Amino acid sequence: MKITEICSSRQISVIDVSTPLIIPSFSSRGFPEVRNIYELTKDYISDISLISAYDIYYELKNVDIYESNIIFIDSGGYETKPIKSSVNSDDGYALRDNYNIQLWSKESHKNVVDNLQDLSQLVLISYDDLNNYESTLNQIEIAKYFFQQYPNYASNFLYKPETLESQIINIESLLAHAHHLTSFSILGITEKELGSSILERCRNIFKIRSTLNEQNIQIPIHILGCLDPFLMISYFLCGADIFDGLAWLRYAFVEGLTLYPSTAALMQAHWNYTDKELNQLYSINNLQSLSSLSHAMHRFCDTKLIREFSAWNKIMPQVFKLLEDAEIRIVE
């Protein structure tokens, strides 16, 4: 399949917004000071952001959440996931302040959504129920019913594994029901549930995009929990369109590399900064870096020229090697 068919700008129905999109996320999971973080950075997120309904309910009461033109409203599943059950190293960061999970339910989620205002263009992500597993078709029908109640908001169908034992989504089942996806504005998949390795995830994204293209389904693919520049470029070149995550708050983006703030401080001679100053410095710098990458992706959709990613030359050779191993050819 040609790169012109894989990497294209796609429209998000209802709100009529073009992809690709890179979305800085906010969450109290690992960041109990999320309210302060939001207040300090809101002036830098005028284009787009992601906020959890859980945090709107508990942490951001009486806060003006409509600072961005486009806001993705996550359902709260991430915030209610027991940290002790996670095997992802990133989640260890959330242990630093003894994160406590408060009561959350479909009713609480609906209460938040019912009280949203149309002061921004809104994208709702379907409810992530950690305690129930459904077949692909049931997931689709449940999401359809939910979104039918909110026709003025874009719908992001978050597809999940079908069973408790499975850690990965059922690609074949998803593609067998691909024709149903036209009911939604976006297809969402959590990065870690796309495959057990980066290579497998690349192959699966490409497989999903290729099959959707064959059926003339131009729904954008949203990879949730991915904001690493290296991975975003790789997944984008495999056919993904939308990315979000918390890495912009955890790390420092330097020439496409994702570093601990202390490492970046040593590299850039910022060793006189306090930890608090470093976190604020790199959060803002990261937002600017993400904006630059988003613009590069948009240009690539128009020109199909790899040189659009020249600012990330340090990582591009490895991106090409990864895609080569995934048997995906990038031909200009």
Side-chain angles (χ1 to χ4, degrees), residues 26 52 95 102 109 126 149 206 299 302 323:
F26 294 88
S52 168
L95 292 171
Q102 302 194 68
H109 175 235
S126 57
Q149 301 171 71
F206 185 77
R299 292 194 302 270
D302 292 332
L323 297 183

Side-chain angles (χ1 to χ4, degrees), residues 95-106:
L95 292 171
R96 63 183 183 144
D97 288 286
N98 297 319
Y99 180 72
N100 292 316
I101 299 172
Q102 302 194 68
L103 293 175
W104 190 242
S105 64
K106 286 186 177 180

Side-chain angles (χ1 to χ4, degrees), residues 22 27 44 85 91 95 105 110 160 209 222 242 248 255 259 282 286 315 327:
I22 296 177
S27 175
Y44 300 91
S85 70
D91 287 344
L95 292 171
S105 64
K110 189 175 187 306
K160 302 291 291 181
R209 174 55 66 205
H222 178 184
I242 304 172
W248 70 283
E255 298 181 40
L259 308 174
Y282 286 122
N286 288 345
I315 64 171
E327 301 178 350

Side-chain angles (χ1 to χ4, degrees), residues 43-165:
D43 292 338
Y44 300 91
I45 57 163
S46 59
D47 291 334
I48 191 165
S49 61
L50 181 148
I51 304 174
S52 168
Y54 177 96
D55 287 330
I56 294 174
Y57 191 84
Y58 284 112
E59 304 294 338
L60 299 175
K61 287 183 178 178
N62 302 318
V63 172
D64 181 7
I65 65 168
Y66 304 99
E67 298 290 346
S68 303
N69 296 329
I70 308 164
I71 303 175
F72 280 57
I73 306 294
D74 199 9
S75 73
Y78 179 73
E79 285 72 25
T80 58
K81 182 179 181 181
I83 294 173
K84 63 181 181 180
S85 70
S86 173
V87 295
N88 297 328
S89 58
D90 284 353
D91 287 344
Y93 195 92
L95 292 171
R96 63 183 183 144
D97 288 286
N98 297 319
Y99 180 72
N100 292 316
I101 299 172
Q102 302 194 68
L103 293 175
W104 190 242
S105 64
K106 286 186 177 180
E107 291 71 29
S108 301
H109 175 235
K110 189 175 187 306
N111 177 269
V112 170
V113 176
D114 285 343
N115 286 283
L116 292 172
Q117 303 176 53
D118 57 358
L119 301 177
S120 300
Q121 297 188 88
L122 299 180
V123 180
L124 303 182
I125 300 175
S126 57
Y127 190 77
D128 183 4
D129 193 337
L130 299 179
N131 299 314
N132 292 306
Y133 293 83
E134 300 284 352
S135 68
T136 299
L137 189 56
N138 282 352
Q139 290 185 50
I140 290 171
E141 292 303 322
I142 291 169
K144 276 185 183 179
Y145 175 77
F146 170 71
F147 290 129
Q148 284 169 358
Q149 301 171 71
Y150 308 100
N152 295 327
Y153 302 148
S155 54
N156 191 334
F157 168 54
L158 178 58
Y159 180 55
K160 302 291 291 181
E162 294 180 310
T163 65
L164 175 63
E165 295 74 27

Side-chain angles (χ1 to χ4, degrees), residues 1 12 64 85 107 124 143 193 195 212 234 254 260 262:
M1 182 166 290
I12 299 176
D64 181 7
S85 70
E107 291 71 29
L124 303 182
E193 294 174 348
L212 293 177
S234 301
V254 180
Y260 286 112
S262 56

Side-chain angles (χ1 to χ4, degrees), residues 203-221:
R203 287 173 173 163
N204 283 339
I205 292 170
F206 185 77
K207 184 174 184 178
I208 294 169
R209 174 55 66 205
S210 299
T211 302
L212 293 177
N213 279 7
E214 289 168 2
Q215 298 185 34
N216 197 29
I217 300 173
Q218 289 301 311
I219 184 173
I221 299 173

